[in-house]
Amino acid sequence: MTRRDVVITGIGLVSSLGEGPEAHWEALTKGAKPVVDAISFAPFPVHPLPALGLDAQIPKKGDQRQMEPWQRLGTYAAGLAIDHAGARGLVADMHLVVAAGGGERDIAVDEAMTAALTNATPEASGALLNEKLATELRPTLFLAQLSNLLAGNISIVHGVTGSSRTLMGEEEAAADAIRIAAARLAEGRGEIALVGGAFASQRWDMVLLYAPGGVLWQGDYAPVSARGAAGGLILGGMAAFLVLETAEHARARGATALARIGGIVSDAAHQRAGGGSAAAAKALWRGMAAPETGLGVIAGMTGVAEARVEEEAFLSWLGSVPVRRSASVLGHGVEASFPANVALAALALSRGGFYPAMDPADAGDGPVERILVTGFGQWRGEALALLEKAP
Amino acid sequence: MKDQMGRPLVAVTGIGLVSPLGWGLEKNWAALLAGTSGITRIRRFATDHLKTTMAGTVDLREEVAGADPVPAPVRVERMAAAAISEALVAAGMKEGAFDGPLMLGMPPVEMEWPQRVALARRAGRPGHAALSVASIGQHDLYEIFLYGGVGERLALRFGTKGAPIAITTACATGASAIQLGVEAIQRGEAQSAIALGTDGSVQPEAVIRFSLLSALTSRNEDPTKASRPFEKSRDGFVMSEGAAALILEDLEHARARGATVIGLVSGCGERADNFHRTRSNPDGSSIIGAMRNAIADAGVQPGDIGYVNAHGTSTPENDKMEALGMRAVFGEAPPPISSNKSMIGHTLSAAGAIEAAFSLLTLRDQILPPTINYVEPDPTLGLDVVPNEARRVSGLRHVLSNSFGFGGQNVCLVLSATP
């Protein structure tokens, strides 16, 4: 089978720092300070999202009403990516791969229901649950909750209909979403694809999902490298979608390639601690056989202790390359983090520069010719993406 | 051997299956050919105040013995593991060191009411802040409900290579998982893959949510008669559970090791819809596109398809749209089409894989499973639905299996007899 070059021609990026590649370049090159809300979800701090002008990307109020914040955020960022790529006319045959977490629950209904059930006898609980849920759940909430409906809404709102796949599995899902989308284009299954993920950080249901793992940082903000032996991640609101395109297709329509995808690889070391995860990442890096000149790293380090130890071991092994720990500024956006870091890498390469330190441990300086994006999942998964200057 | 596009042919060398009709492929197939319904009254939880009180359910051994129902991800994983184990045995492979990736079609999962209530009791308060703080350190909850959890545990147990891929495309999920596996082999990433669909979502909140969307039938009097695909009085689907796993293998690789080849996955086609969150575009364009794409991908003509394994959910809308698609793709004399869901209900994320598995057995045994409960034909559909009784055929080479999902995700597969 043929292997065709795949490039990034569009970025849709939203984070606590703002929206769009320009705003992120401006903010990050000026050494932006993290935006933190330490109160609303105390004891867990979050990086909140800015208010979005949703009407610009989701013009129908009816569509907005059918979604909750997570789907609106993702649909919005997907639209930004399509616009950035100048690809509105290409959506009918555009392939879509989304990395998704769970959609919104109705927090008020959940708390009232939990209170009622806590006080009910086991015998009465079943009937009580049925009665209250059947009357209190909004019918459309189910659709706002289904993971694959972010993709569904992107199809409906933006007309993306080439194909639609939704991968699940936290950080790893996002890396594999990009890997699979790029591989399909490279082998001739389509010319253009939209891939990415979104994470709404200001949601108690997400806090409740991650808190049991002991992975959430508590108290005041601290950069990733300063979270001590216990470690922890700070949930960061963000969405990142990328328009991927074969280099030939981009050239033919006069689209600007921001960066070339040099390779994307992933694995899952079942034994993470004690070097398992670092060894998996080293093997992935060796397998990429990439030139090491002019290399920079945007590390997806979440802050979770076990993963951080492994990732630091991998980064030291790489040698003296400039490393940027982006979660210290943006927080951790689970399914959105890897695409956001790939977007930041493509952005830097297209600008011919690199970012100043984002974390006190960040060392080394640009300029860079190629950027390695790492993705060590909070629990499982190792992924690497290599971005190169567009040809 | 390569296909018309120069890609390796993808064989199926092992299948495992669980459904409300039982644990095990051949047991299921025999029941299906006999026209047996697996739909029953829900016994797993109280059904007071529910509009729909029946479903297809798969209970675990400890539940049958009286234990509390397990959360959905546990059921999903256990059925998946059983299906994979069975498939590996059939393929003549040892468990624990599978030389290829895991493509896992599964539903979204989340913390359920029993866990919430337990946390609230521990916290002494029902708010999310209190529950979250009380939950810290309960790593089991974290690992059960993370989306990556089921795949991680299955990958570890079966020794699959690389990162496990979990996919959800609503009711097309099982077919999407197979498509991912087929693509990995065609791409040369692997010579074999485990592809499966699994779902175990019959719990109160899920039943209520589908009910609120008016998607479920509430024909509760006789559960076995509730699922009536293509029949005039059909009025919704029946929720169900199950899993099917397929061992996919480069045909040359399978032959070289002397494996028995059950059939081929010769074509995959997809098309997304942008019309509505729960309905197809009235012009049928995306489901027609998915069917045509699959047939073209297999390198055959519509006339080569001898039977269609329907999506056939028993909702008024789906079956009407599927009939429209059939006529658009095949003309005024479409091939016979039948719906396994008349007997096992709608197994949601598992359906695409379960129905692909039955399609392969249809080819193997040259017998079409029936659409049961077909009492009064819907005259507007004009389809041969293999009503009520299985039908022997001969010379059947290619079967189309349809999966159409909420959210507009449509995937069709062509399954073919071994060349």
Side-chain angles (χ1 to χ4, degrees):
Chain A
M1 228 172 232
T2 56
R3 286 285 180 273
R4 307 183 298 173
D5 262 4
V6 176
V7 295
I8 295 172
T9 56
I11 291 173
L13 184 60
V14 177
S15 80
S16 52
L17 297 184
E19 66 175 81
E22 303 295 324
H24 281 86
W25 181 254
E26 279 296 304
L28 290 168
T29 50
K30 286 182 179 148
K33 294 281 172 292
V35 182
V36 181
D37 173 359
I39 294 162
S40 305
F41 298 85
F44 311 105
V46 300
H47 298 278
L49 283 164
L52 302 174
L54 291 174
D55 293 354
Q57 288 297 341
I58 313 174
K60 288 187 193 158
K61 292 290 184 195
D63 282 333
Q64 291 184 24
R65 277 195 300 272
Q66 293 276 327
M67 301 182 232
E68 294 289 326
W70 167 66
Q71 289 177 357
R72 286 196 284 261
L73 170 65
T75 304
Y76 183 81
L80 294 180
I82 295 168
D83 282 342
H84 192 226
R88 282 281 162 197
L90 302 170
V91 290
D93 292 315
M94 186 180 281
H95 296 275
L96 175 62
V97 190
V98 173
E104 271 84 346
R105 295 188 58 87
D106 186 323
I107 298 299
V109 169
D110 281 358
E111 294 195 348
M113 190 77 241
T114 304
L117 287 176
T118 307
N119 298 318
T121 62
E123 299 71 40
S125 288
L128 180 69
L129 178 75
N130 295 346
E131 186 176 16
K132 282 182 76 80
L133 285 182
T135 50
E136 291 179 18
L137 284 177
R138 277 179 292 130
T140 53
L141 190 71
F142 193 18
L143 299 173
Q145 197 190 18
L146 284 174
S147 297
N148 69 301
L149 260 292
L150 170 51
N153 278 296
I154 291 171
S155 292
I156 289 167
V157 172
H158 301 303
V160 177
T161 54
S163 64
S164 173
R165 299 174 182 188
T166 297
L167 302 191
M168 300 187 292
E170 290 74 39
E171 298 80 8
E172 189 72 34
D176 283 316
I178 304 174
R179 179 176 67 80
I180 289 168
R184 297 184 85 237
L185 295 181
E187 69 192 358
R189 295 184 203 260
E191 299 295 338
I192 188 163
L194 177 65
V195 57
F199 185 79
S201 56
Q202 293 142 290
R203 283 176 51 192
W204 273 117
D205 44 14
M206 287 293 108
V207 173
L208 183 57
L209 170 63
Y210 298 118
V215 297
L216 297 182
W217 179 250
Q218 297 181 45
D220 292 334
Y221 164 85
V224 164
S225 65
R227 291 181 196 163
L233 61 83
I234 298 178
L235 295 174
M238 66 182 78
F241 275 83
L242 308 164
V243 173
L244 307 186
E245 201 168 344
T246 61
E248 196 186 333
H249 188 263
R251 212 165 23 242
R253 72 180 184 95
T256 305
L258 303 168
R260 173 182 177 274
I261 294 185
I264 304 180
V265 288
S266 66
D267 200 356
H270 303 302
Q271 281 292 333
R272 162 161 275 175
S277 199
K282 289 175 192 172
L284 290 175
W285 173 245
R286 281 194 212 100
M288 287 180 119
E292 299 196 19
T293 51
L295 183 68
V297 175
I298 297 181
M301 195 177 290
T302 60
V304 175
E306 196 173 82
R308 190 183 60 193
V309 168
E310 294 295 314
E311 183 161 6
E312 291 293 0
F314 170 71
L315 293 173
S316 315
W317 174 82
L318 270 185
S320 63
V321 293
V323 174
R324 302 292 179 262
R325 293 161 180 80
S326 65
S328 287
V329 181
L330 301 175
H332 181 57
V334 196
E335 295 86 7
S337 277
F338 197 83
N341 286 332
V342 170
L344 292 179
L347 179 59
L349 290 167
S350 74
R351 296 299 190 110
F354 199 43
Y355 304 99
M358 299 178 182
D359 179 288
D362 286 357
D365 244 324
V368 296
E369 296 292 313
R370 49 186 61 80
I371 297 175
L372 181 68
V373 173
T374 63
F376 284 62
Q378 59 178 288
W379 182 52
R380 287 289 183 268
E382 294 78 26
L384 302 176
L386 184 70
L387 283 298
E388 299 173 330
K389 281 196 166 174
Chain B
M1 284 176 81
K2 308 284 187 213
D3 71 5
Q4 78 287 353
M5 292 184 226
R7 309 174 299 196
L9 290 173
V10 179
V12 178
T13 54
I15 303 175
L17 199 147
V18 181
S19 90
L21 292 172
W23 298 71
L25 178 68
E26 298 302 337
K27 185 177 176 183
N28 268 279
W29 182 231
L32 207 73
L33 293 182
T36 315
S37 170
I39 309 305
T40 56
R41 254 171 247 301
I42 294 171
R43 295 178 296 261
R44 184 176 293 160
F45 49 83
T47 56
D48 316 54
H49 309 292
L50 297 184
K51 274 181 19 195
T52 295
T53 58
M54 38 87 201
T57 54
V58 177
D59 292 329
L60 303 182
R61 194 178 298 129
E62 64 267 31
E63 293 173 325
V64 174
D68 285 340
V70 299
V74 173
R75 189 181 317 283
V76 157
E77 184 180 332
R78 290 274 290 279
M79 291 188 298
I84 295 171
S85 282
E86 184 187 10
L88 287 171
V89 170
M93 291 174 165
K94 278 208 205 75
E95 206 168 281
F98 187 85
D99 190 21
L102 174 69
M103 305 302 188
L104 165 64
M106 63 173 267
V109 296
E110 60 183 352
M111 194 180 282
E112 296 171 15
W113 291 105
Q115 295 83 42
R116 281 174 192 278
V117 171
L119 285 174
R121 291 204 168 117
R122 188 168 154 158
R125 281 175 297 154
H128 275 81
L131 263 63
S132 299
V133 171
S135 76
I136 293 171
Q138 292 199 36
H139 221 269
D140 57 332
L141 287 181
Y142 176 72
E143 293 188 15
I144 287 173
F145 295 110
L146 277 184
Y147 277 4
V150 173
E152 160 65 18
R153 286 182 290 277
L154 292 172
L156 178 62
R157 170 167 167 185
F158 294 103
T160 53
K161 300 293 175 289
I165 307 294
I167 185 162
T168 177
T169 51
C171 313
T173 299
S176 292
I178 293 171
Q179 186 181 23
L180 283 170
V182 167
E183 287 180 0
I185 292 170
Q186 289 176 337
R187 192 179 292 140
E189 273 174 21
Q191 290 190 306
S192 50
I194 298 175
L196 77 149
T198 172
D199 207 316
S201 298
V202 179
Q203 38 128 328
E205 185 171 323
V207 173
I208 289 165
R209 285 181 180 276
F210 274 118
S211 222
L212 288 171
L213 287 180
S214 305
L216 302 181
T217 176
S218 50
R219 204 186 276 260
N220 297 316
E221 321 76 62
D222 182 354
T224 65
K225 303 282 193 290
S227 183
R228 312 173 77 82
F230 304 112
E231 205 252 4
K232 197 174 176 190
S233 67
R234 68 186 186 275
D235 61 357
F237 74 81
V238 177
M239 274 183 78
S240 188
E241 301 179 324
L246 275 60
I247 306 300
L248 303 176
E249 208 171 336
D250 180 329
L251 179 64
E252 286 180 10
H253 181 266
R255 289 212 162 126
R257 69 179 187 90
T260 304
V261 175
I262 302 165
L264 305 182
V265 185
S266 55
C268 306
E270 60 196 324
R271 194 80 205 170
D273 202 329
N274 65 342
F275 180 70
H276 188 269
R277 287 160 190 84
T278 58
R279 291 168 53 207
S280 305
N281 190 319
D283 70 6
S285 53
S286 68
I287 67 173
I288 293 166
M291 291 163 78
R292 285 190 175 141
N293 287 347
I295 294 167
D297 192 54
V300 299
Q301 300 297 318
D304 297 325
I305 302 292
Y307 162 72
V308 177
N309 187 308
H311 188 53
T313 58
S314 180
T315 63
E317 170 87 2
N318 175 81
D319 298 0
K320 184 182 82 180
M321 293 310 301
E322 194 162 7
L324 185 148
M326 287 289 286
R327 276 198 300 282
V329 172
F330 296 107
E332 286 309 310
I337 176 171
S338 67
S339 172
N340 305 155
K341 294 185 181 79
S342 62
M343 292 170 275
I344 59 172
H346 191 349
T347 55
L348 303 168
S349 306
I354 287 179
E355 291 161 17
F358 288 142
S359 297
L360 287 158
L361 298 195
T362 299
L363 286 159
R364 183 192 71 181
D365 295 349
Q366 298 284 306
I367 183 162
L368 313 182
T371 302
I372 69 163
N373 298 324
Y374 194 74
V375 177
E376 191 173 350
D378 180 342
T380 64
L381 302 186
L383 295 172
D384 169 6
V385 302
V386 195
N388 303 316
E389 305 237 348
R391 183 188 302 166
R392 288 223 159 267
V393 292
S394 60
L396 179 65
R397 303 281 311 158
H398 304 285
V399 171
L400 179 71
S401 178
N402 288 338
S403 297
F404 308 133
F406 272 8
Q409 289 145 31
N410 304 303
V411 182
C412 298
L413 303 174
V414 175
L415 296 310
S416 299
T418 312

Short mmCIF file of all heavy atoms in Angstrom, two decimals, chain A residues 106 108-120 124-138, chain B residues 48-50 113 204-205 208-209 212:
data_model
loop_
_atom_site.label_atom_id
_atom_site.label_comp_id
_atom_site.label_asym_id
_atom_site.label_seq_id
_atom_site.Cartn_x
_atom_site.Cartn_y
_atom_site.Cartn_z
N ASP A 106 -26.88 15.48 34.92
CA ASP A 106 -27.59 16.57 35.55
C ASP A 106 -27.23 16.55 37.04
O ASP A 106 -27.72 15.71 37.80
CB ASP A 106 -29.10 16.39 35.34
CG ASP A 106 -29.89 17.58 35.85
OD1 ASP A 106 -29.51 18.16 36.88
OD2 ASP A 106 -30.91 17.92 35.21
N ALA A 108 -27.82 18.49 39.59
CA ALA A 108 -28.87 18.73 40.58
C ALA A 108 -29.74 17.48 40.77
O ALA A 108 -30.05 17.09 41.91
CB ALA A 108 -29.73 19.92 40.15
N VAL A 109 -30.11 16.85 39.67
CA VAL A 109 -30.91 15.62 39.77
C VAL A 109 -30.11 14.55 40.50
O VAL A 109 -30.63 13.85 41.39
CB VAL A 109 -31.33 15.12 38.37
CG1 VAL A 109 -31.93 13.72 38.45
CG2 VAL A 109 -32.33 16.09 37.73
N ASP A 110 -28.84 14.42 40.17
CA ASP A 110 -28.01 13.40 40.80
C ASP A 110 -27.92 13.60 42.32
O ASP A 110 -27.99 12.65 43.10
CB ASP A 110 -26.58 13.42 40.22
CG ASP A 110 -26.52 12.70 38.87
OD1 ASP A 110 -27.55 12.18 38.43
OD2 ASP A 110 -25.43 12.67 38.28
N GLU A 111 -27.76 14.85 42.73
CA GLU A 111 -27.60 15.09 44.18
C GLU A 111 -28.91 14.86 44.92
O GLU A 111 -28.92 14.28 46.01
CB GLU A 111 -27.04 16.50 44.42
CG GLU A 111 -25.61 16.61 43.87
CD GLU A 111 -24.83 17.83 44.35
OE1 GLU A 111 -25.44 18.75 44.94
OE2 GLU A 111 -23.60 17.86 44.13
N ALA A 112 -30.02 15.28 44.30
CA ALA A 112 -31.32 15.05 44.95
C ALA A 112 -31.62 13.55 45.04
O ALA A 112 -32.11 13.04 46.05
CB ALA A 112 -32.42 15.78 44.17
N MET A 113 -31.30 12.86 43.96
CA MET A 113 -31.55 11.42 43.90
C MET A 113 -30.67 10.69 44.93
O MET A 113 -31.14 9.79 45.63
CB MET A 113 -31.18 10.95 42.48
CG MET A 113 -31.57 9.56 42.14
SD MET A 113 -33.32 9.41 41.78
CE MET A 113 -33.76 8.29 43.06
N THR A 114 -29.41 11.09 45.00
CA THR A 114 -28.49 10.46 45.96
C THR A 114 -29.00 10.67 47.38
O THR A 114 -29.00 9.74 48.20
CB THR A 114 -27.07 11.04 45.81
OG1 THR A 114 -26.66 10.87 44.45
CG2 THR A 114 -26.08 10.32 46.70
N ALA A 115 -29.47 11.89 47.66
CA ALA A 115 -29.98 12.18 49.00
C ALA A 115 -31.19 11.30 49.31
O ALA A 115 -31.28 10.70 50.40
CB ALA A 115 -30.37 13.66 49.10
N ALA A 116 -32.10 11.18 48.35
CA ALA A 116 -33.30 10.38 48.58
C ALA A 116 -32.95 8.91 48.77
O ALA A 116 -33.48 8.24 49.66
CB ALA A 116 -34.26 10.56 47.40
N LEU A 117 -32.04 8.40 47.95
CA LEU A 117 -31.69 6.98 48.04
C LEU A 117 -30.93 6.67 49.31
O LEU A 117 -31.07 5.59 49.88
CB LEU A 117 -30.84 6.56 46.83
CG LEU A 117 -31.55 6.45 45.49
CD1 LEU A 117 -30.56 6.13 44.38
CD2 LEU A 117 -32.64 5.38 45.52
N THR A 118 -30.12 7.63 49.76
CA THR A 118 -29.33 7.40 50.96
C THR A 118 -30.24 7.17 52.17
O THR A 118 -29.90 6.42 53.08
CB THR A 118 -28.41 8.60 51.22
OG1 THR A 118 -27.67 8.85 50.03
CG2 THR A 118 -27.41 8.32 52.33
N ASN A 119 -31.40 7.81 52.12
CA ASN A 119 -32.32 7.70 53.25
C ASN A 119 -33.38 6.61 53.07
O ASN A 119 -34.20 6.40 53.95
CB ASN A 119 -33.02 9.04 53.48
CG ASN A 119 -32.01 10.11 53.84
OD1 ASN A 119 -31.09 9.86 54.62
ND2 ASN A 119 -32.15 11.29 53.26
N ALA A 120 -33.37 5.97 51.90
CA ALA A 120 -34.42 4.98 51.64
C ALA A 120 -33.99 3.59 52.09
O ALA A 120 -32.79 3.29 52.17
CB ALA A 120 -34.73 4.94 50.14
N ALA A 124 -37.26 -0.14 49.26
CA ALA A 124 -37.97 0.96 48.59
C ALA A 124 -37.12 1.64 47.52
O ALA A 124 -37.64 2.38 46.69
CB ALA A 124 -38.41 1.99 49.64
N SER A 125 -35.81 1.38 47.55
CA SER A 125 -34.90 2.13 46.70
C SER A 125 -35.19 1.99 45.20
O SER A 125 -35.17 2.98 44.46
CB SER A 125 -33.45 1.68 46.94
OG SER A 125 -33.02 2.14 48.18
N GLY A 126 -35.45 0.77 44.76
CA GLY A 126 -35.64 0.52 43.34
C GLY A 126 -36.79 1.32 42.77
O GLY A 126 -36.65 2.02 41.76
N ALA A 127 -37.93 1.23 43.43
CA ALA A 127 -39.11 1.94 42.94
C ALA A 127 -38.90 3.45 43.00
O ALA A 127 -39.30 4.18 42.08
CB ALA A 127 -40.33 1.54 43.77
N LEU A 128 -38.25 3.89 44.06
CA LEU A 128 -38.00 5.33 44.22
C LEU A 128 -37.11 5.86 43.09
O LEU A 128 -37.37 6.90 42.49
CB LEU A 128 -37.33 5.56 45.57
CG LEU A 128 -36.97 6.98 45.94
CD1 LEU A 128 -38.24 7.80 46.19
CD2 LEU A 128 -36.09 7.01 47.20
N LEU A 129 -36.05 5.12 42.80
CA LEU A 129 -35.13 5.51 41.73
C LEU A 129 -35.89 5.64 40.41
O LEU A 129 -35.77 6.64 39.69
CB LEU A 129 -34.02 4.46 41.60
CG LEU A 129 -32.98 4.70 40.50
CD1 LEU A 129 -32.01 5.80 40.90
CD2 LEU A 129 -32.19 3.42 40.19
N ASN A 130 -36.67 4.62 40.08
CA ASN A 130 -37.40 4.64 38.82
C ASN A 130 -38.35 5.82 38.73
O ASN A 130 -38.42 6.52 37.72
CB ASN A 130 -38.21 3.34 38.67
CG ASN A 130 -37.32 2.12 38.55
OD1 ASN A 130 -36.13 2.25 38.33
ND2 ASN A 130 -37.90 0.95 38.72
N GLU A 131 -39.08 6.02 39.81
CA GLU A 131 -40.11 7.07 39.79
C GLU A 131 -39.46 8.44 39.60
O GLU A 131 -39.89 9.24 38.78
CB GLU A 131 -40.91 7.02 41.09
CG GLU A 131 -42.08 7.97 41.08
CD GLU A 131 -42.92 7.86 42.35
OE1 GLU A 131 -42.44 7.27 43.34
OE2 GLU A 131 -44.06 8.37 42.33
N LYS A 132 -38.41 8.69 40.38
CA LYS A 132 -37.79 10.02 40.31
C LYS A 132 -37.05 10.25 38.99
O LYS A 132 -37.14 11.33 38.40
CB LYS A 132 -36.83 10.21 41.50
CG LYS A 132 -37.55 10.54 42.80
CD LYS A 132 -36.56 10.78 43.95
CE LYS A 132 -35.87 12.12 43.92
NZ LYS A 132 -36.68 13.23 44.44
N LEU A 133 -36.33 9.25 38.54
CA LEU A 133 -35.58 9.43 37.28
C LEU A 133 -36.54 9.65 36.11
O LEU A 133 -36.30 10.49 35.25
CB LEU A 133 -34.68 8.23 36.99
CG LEU A 133 -33.40 8.08 37.81
CD1 LEU A 133 -32.62 6.86 37.34
CD2 LEU A 133 -32.52 9.32 37.72
N ALA A 134 -37.62 8.88 36.10
CA ALA A 134 -38.55 8.97 34.96
C ALA A 134 -39.22 10.33 34.90
O ALA A 134 -39.61 10.79 33.82
CB ALA A 134 -39.59 7.86 35.05
N THR A 135 -39.34 10.99 36.04
CA THR A 135 -39.99 12.30 36.01
C THR A 135 -38.99 13.45 35.95
O THR A 135 -39.29 14.51 35.44
CB THR A 135 -40.89 12.51 37.26
OG1 THR A 135 -40.12 12.18 38.42
CG2 THR A 135 -42.11 11.62 37.20
N GLU A 136 -37.78 13.23 36.43
CA GLU A 136 -36.86 14.37 36.56
C GLU A 136 -35.79 14.46 35.49
O GLU A 136 -35.23 15.54 35.27
CB GLU A 136 -36.22 14.35 37.96
CG GLU A 136 -37.26 14.68 39.02
CD GLU A 136 -36.71 14.67 40.43
OE1 GLU A 136 -35.48 14.74 40.59
OE2 GLU A 136 -37.52 14.57 41.36
N LEU A 137 -35.49 13.36 34.83
CA LEU A 137 -34.46 13.45 33.78
C LEU A 137 -35.04 14.12 32.53
O LEU A 137 -36.13 13.78 32.10
CB LEU A 137 -33.98 12.05 33.38
CG LEU A 137 -33.03 11.35 34.34
CD1 LEU A 137 -32.72 9.95 33.82
CD2 LEU A 137 -31.74 12.13 34.51
N ARG A 138 -34.29 15.06 31.99
CA ARG A 138 -34.71 15.64 30.71
C ARG A 138 -34.43 14.63 29.61
O ARG A 138 -33.33 14.10 29.53
CB ARG A 138 -33.91 16.92 30.43
CG ARG A 138 -34.45 18.15 31.12
CD ARG A 138 -33.60 19.35 30.80
NE ARG A 138 -32.27 19.25 31.39
CZ ARG A 138 -31.12 19.44 30.73
NH1 ARG A 138 -31.14 19.73 29.45
NH2 ARG A 138 -29.98 19.35 31.34
N ASP B 48 -40.98 -1.16 38.98
CA ASP B 48 -42.09 -0.24 39.30
C ASP B 48 -41.89 1.08 38.55
O ASP B 48 -40.76 1.57 38.48
CB ASP B 48 -42.11 0.09 40.79
CG ASP B 48 -41.91 -1.12 41.68
OD1 ASP B 48 -40.89 -1.83 41.49
OD2 ASP B 48 -42.74 -1.32 42.56
N HIS B 49 -42.94 1.63 38.06
CA HIS B 49 -42.95 2.93 37.38
C HIS B 49 -42.25 2.93 36.02
O HIS B 49 -42.16 3.98 35.38
CB HIS B 49 -42.31 4.04 38.24
CG HIS B 49 -42.87 4.12 39.64
ND1 HIS B 49 -44.16 4.53 39.91
CD2 HIS B 49 -42.31 3.83 40.84
CE1 HIS B 49 -44.38 4.49 41.21
NE2 HIS B 49 -43.26 4.05 41.80
N LEU B 50 -41.74 1.81 35.57
CA LEU B 50 -41.09 1.80 34.25
C LEU B 50 -42.14 1.51 33.17
O LEU B 50 -43.02 0.68 33.36
CB LEU B 50 -40.00 0.72 34.18
CG LEU B 50 -38.81 0.86 35.12
CD1 LEU B 50 -37.79 -0.24 34.84
CD2 LEU B 50 -38.17 2.23 34.99
N TRP B 113 -25.68 4.09 40.45
CA TRP B 113 -26.34 4.49 41.69
C TRP B 113 -25.85 3.77 42.94
O TRP B 113 -25.63 4.40 43.97
CB TRP B 113 -27.87 4.40 41.55
CG TRP B 113 -28.32 5.47 40.61
CD1 TRP B 113 -28.72 5.33 39.31
CD2 TRP B 113 -28.34 6.89 40.87
NE1 TRP B 113 -28.98 6.55 38.75
CE2 TRP B 113 -28.77 7.53 39.67
CE3 TRP B 113 -28.02 7.67 41.98
CZ2 TRP B 113 -28.89 8.90 39.57
CZ3 TRP B 113 -28.16 9.04 41.88
CH2 TRP B 113 -28.59 9.65 40.69
N PRO B 204 -31.42 0.35 35.52
CA PRO B 204 -32.61 1.22 35.54
C PRO B 204 -32.43 2.52 34.77
O PRO B 204 -33.29 2.90 33.97
CB PRO B 204 -32.82 1.49 37.03
CG PRO B 204 -32.14 0.37 37.74
CD PRO B 204 -31.02 -0.09 36.86
N GLU B 205 -31.32 3.20 35.00
CA GLU B 205 -31.19 4.52 34.38
C GLU B 205 -31.13 4.42 32.86
O GLU B 205 -31.72 5.24 32.15
CB GLU B 205 -29.97 5.26 34.92
CG GLU B 205 -29.92 6.66 34.37
CD GLU B 205 -28.87 7.54 35.01
OE1 GLU B 205 -28.65 7.42 36.23
OE2 GLU B 205 -28.28 8.35 34.28
N ILE B 208 -34.58 3.82 31.48
CA ILE B 208 -35.40 5.04 31.57
C ILE B 208 -34.97 6.04 30.50
O ILE B 208 -35.80 6.67 29.84
CB ILE B 208 -35.30 5.65 32.98
CG1 ILE B 208 -36.04 4.75 33.98
CG2 ILE B 208 -35.87 7.08 33.02
CD1 ILE B 208 -35.74 5.04 35.44
N ARG B 209 -33.68 6.19 30.30
CA ARG B 209 -33.20 7.16 29.31
C ARG B 209 -33.66 6.78 27.89
O ARG B 209 -34.11 7.64 27.13
CB ARG B 209 -31.68 7.27 29.37
CG ARG B 209 -31.21 8.07 30.58
CD ARG B 209 -29.70 8.19 30.60
NE ARG B 209 -29.24 8.95 31.75
CZ ARG B 209 -29.19 10.29 31.80
NH1 ARG B 209 -29.56 10.99 30.76
NH2 ARG B 209 -28.78 10.89 32.89
N LEU B 212 -37.34 7.50 27.68
CA LEU B 212 -37.67 8.93 27.55
C LEU B 212 -37.46 9.41 26.11
O LEU B 212 -38.05 10.40 25.69
CB LEU B 212 -36.83 9.76 28.52
CG LEU B 212 -37.20 9.64 30.00
CD1 LEU B 212 -36.15 10.34 30.88
CD2 LEU B 212 -38.59 10.22 30.27
#
